[in-house]
Amino acid sequence: MEELECPLAFNELERKAWQFAVTAHGEQRRKYHQEPYVKHLERVAQTVMAYGGTTGMVMAALLHDVLEDTPVTQEELKAFLEETCQGSIVKPAEVLQMVLDLTDQFTKQQAPGYNRKRRKEMERQRTATTSGRAQTIKLADIIDNTRDIIAHDFSFARVYIPEIVGLLEVLKSAQPFTLYLLACYEVQKALFRLEEERNSLPPEETPALEG
């Protein structure tokens, strides 16, 4: 594993969450440019921090993919948080719940027999019931993923971006509203780029936008 440096802006608890995420994600890389996966987590956490997120929220942002994308179990994450947060004002149960809220529950493995469209709709309905803090982290995640996907994968963007348009409709508990506006701006900008690309193709090659 290459040497990674924890961002200086993180405090002691956030640095411990960062290190846990680095170890959990191991050699995982971002799909398009092969950067260490933790870089995505750092960007999400830094966005949460920039928009007034608490230490617990920053920790959850750094850990938001460990249950979904690594072998780490819920019990292992709970034990880490209880030990790490001991003696601090951060409540480990709240951080764990945010991570659970941010973990997809309707994957192919967990919801076999449902197609992607139905799984995403079930996920959207579940996300609507999650906490405002989790929804704030989700907005930061959407911003980073949208920028990445529209820059590197127009084919998948045709599927992903319309799904995110629907998801944004239920993230009304997120704070501050300026972060919600930024996420909407990034998604609308991506839709505009998709439309530009669609209009530049000959009629016989024009793909239909999903949704």
Side-chain angles (χ1 to χ4, degrees):
M1 184 187 302
E2 69 184 78
E3 193 70 25
L4 297 170
E5 286 192 24
C6 183
L8 295 176
F10 293 157
N11 64 31
E12 183 180 357
L13 292 181
E14 294 159 357
R15 291 176 73 85
K16 288 179 179 179
W18 177 88
Q19 186 59 62
F20 186 92
V22 168
T23 302
H25 286 278
E27 295 294 333
Q28 288 179 6
R29 301 272 171 172
R30 287 290 274 178
K31 180 178 179 180
Y32 304 113
H33 31 65
Q34 295 301 302
E35 69 178 4
Y37 195 83
V38 72
K39 295 299 181 183
H40 163 65
L41 306 175
E42 288 173 7
R43 289 192 294 270
V44 174
Q46 288 167 333
T47 298
V48 169
M49 183 185 295
Y51 282 84
T54 63
T55 290
M57 291 170 67
V58 173
M59 292 174 72
L62 288 164
L63 299 167
H64 78 269
D65 279 333
V66 294
L67 296 181
E68 190 172 317
D69 295 334
T70 83
V72 171
T73 66
Q74 183 176 331
E75 285 304 311
E76 289 170 338
L77 181 58
K78 178 182 177 182
F80 162 75
L81 290 171
E82 288 176 346
E83 179 181 354
T84 300
C85 299
Q86 189 173 12
S88 76
I89 63 171
V90 178
K91 297 178 180 179
E94 290 183 358
V95 180
L96 178 61
Q97 187 57 54
M98 283 187 276
V99 175
L100 290 171
D101 284 347
L102 292 159
T103 301
D104 281 355
Q105 303 298 314
F106 300 103
T107 62
K108 281 184 179 180
Q109 292 74 27
Q110 293 166 304
Y114 292 100
N115 62 23
R116 179 184 176 96
K117 184 175 181 180
R118 180 57 183 149
R119 292 197 310 272
K120 291 300 179 181
E121 177 55 28
M122 291 190 293
E123 199 64 60
R124 190 177 84 101
Q125 293 174 12
R126 182 192 69 82
T127 301
T129 69
T130 59
S131 71
R133 289 182 173 186
Q135 290 188 19
T136 296
I137 299 167
K138 188 64 179 177
L139 287 178
D141 188 41
I142 286 170
I143 289 166
D144 193 61
N145 282 330
T146 297
R147 289 170 176 170
D148 218 5
I149 290 167
I150 198 63
H152 298 285
D153 192 346
F154 264 79
S155 179
F156 180 55
R158 295 187 195 105
V159 176
Y160 172 82
I161 299 301
E163 290 173 348
I164 295 304
V165 170
L167 186 58
L168 284 173
E169 293 176 358
V170 303
L171 297 178
K172 298 301 176 63
S173 297
Q175 294 292 334
F177 188 60
T178 49
L179 181 60
Y180 182 80
L181 291 177
L182 177 58
C184 290
Y185 168 74
E186 292 294 340
V187 171
Q188 287 299 317
K189 188 166 63 171
L191 283 170
F192 181 73
R193 287 195 60 192
L194 286 175
E195 188 63 23
E196 276 190 324
E197 186 242 7
R198 186 170 180 269
N199 290 337
S200 70
L201 295 173
E204 65 274 11
E205 297 180 21
T206 300
L209 288 177
E210 297 289 332

